[in-house]
């Protein structure tokens, strides 16, 4: 523990890159659990990175969450991105409209003068309802655009927090915890070392789609999320993690 305390951020970036299999890790100083300014810094760092990788014609999928909201808020207002399309990665969930992916999609598109599509379905449907909903031509059309996304920007959450936000009951949450679930991304729950313990029925993008996109940018920070970020693994060669020092030091302990 003492050793990790004295490591510099550059060195920690290299360790996380190697251990969690990211092609790049960007760490902002501080801990957003302690200092709300760090959350804005995290959003700004992610926005700066993403602004550098966008190419003409890209289709960018966003998840919801307060971290991705900060990313959107930090994105510089520019109208040179008119040929981009922004879409939600999945359906909507939770009660808070401010952090729904549809809301963030519209707000980023407005800033960039980009096109956007919305997906007006909940993300927690049963397989049977989902099949019926996907027969609707309007939904099918949006989903086919979402499936063509080549850039994904997503949050990583704690399994317990996200299970609650996704509307799971106490028994299901307990089951997940018993299975060792620690981190959540795309409705997929991960136990230690990237072991997948549950995948939510898919509407839009799933963890499997994440393998084939050009760029996947995960944005997540705070000491309280270290353990969750340490559990999640993306199997492709395309993933970048933007995090903060608080989470990064906690991840090192969790490895
Ligand atoms: O998709 C949501 C993230 O996984 C976590 O949400 O940024 O509000 O903590 P958050």
């Amino acid at each position: 523990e003492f050793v990790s305390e004295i490591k510099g951020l550059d060195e920690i970036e290299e360790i996380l890159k190697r251990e969690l299999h990211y092609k790049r890790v960007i760490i902002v100083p501080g801990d957003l659990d302690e200092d709300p300014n760090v959350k804005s810094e995290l959003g700004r760092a992610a926005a700066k990175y993403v602004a550098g990788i966008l190419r003409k014609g890209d289709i960018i999928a966003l998840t919801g969450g307060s971290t991705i909201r900060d990313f959107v808020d930090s994105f510089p207002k520019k109208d040179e991105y008119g040929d981009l399309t922004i879409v939600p990665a999945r359906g909507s969930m939770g009660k808070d409209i401010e952090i729904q992916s549809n809301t963030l999609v519209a707000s980023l598109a407005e800033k960039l003068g980009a096109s956007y599509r919305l997906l007006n379905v909940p993300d927690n449907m049963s397989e049977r309802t989902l099949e019926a909903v996907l027969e609707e031509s309007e939904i099918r059309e949006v989903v086919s655009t979402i499936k063509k996304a080549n850039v994904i920007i997503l949050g990583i959450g704690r399994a317990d927090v996200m299970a609650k936000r996704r509307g799971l009951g106490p028994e299901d949450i307990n089951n997940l915890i018993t299975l060792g679930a620690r981190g959540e991304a795309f409705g997929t729950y991960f136990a230690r070392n990237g072991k997948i313990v549950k995948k939510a029925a898919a509407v839009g993008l799933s963890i499997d789609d994440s393998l084939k996109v050009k760029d996947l940018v995960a944005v997540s920070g705070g000491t309280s999320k270290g353990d969750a970020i340490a559990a999640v693994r993306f199997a492709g060669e395309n993933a970048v993690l933007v995090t903060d020092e608080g989470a990064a030091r906690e991840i090192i302990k969790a490895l």
Side-chain angles (χ1 to χ4, degrees), residues 8 25 65 73 78 141 167 178 197 215 249-251:
V25 173
D73 287 348
K78 278 190 183 155
E141 204 245 296
T178 309
V197 293
D215 296 285
R249 294 195 185 277
E250 199 62 26
I251 295 167

Side-chain angles (χ1 to χ4, degrees), residues 109-136:
E110 200 258 327
K111 273 189 151 180
L112 303 184
S115 314
Y116 67 99
R117 306 300 312 268
L118 301 179
L119 180 61
N120 292 311
V121 300
D123 204 30
N124 55 357
M125 289 178 288
S126 67
E127 300 262 2
R128 209 170 42 152
T129 316
L130 181 63
E131 271 172 39
V133 165
L134 289 175
E135 278 169 30
E136 291 294 326

Side-chain angles (χ1 to χ4, degrees), residues 2 5 16 18 33-34 44 76-77 86 104 107 110 140 154 182 186 200 202 229 239:
F2 173 69
E5 282 302 317
L16 298 191
R18 193 177 64 227
D33 288 347
E34 304 284 327
R44 227 191 314 274
K77 207 171 154 71
I86 325 275
L104 305 181
S107 130
E110 200 258 327
R140 220 174 29 212
L154 84 167
R182 289 166 184 242
F186 282 127
I229 301 167

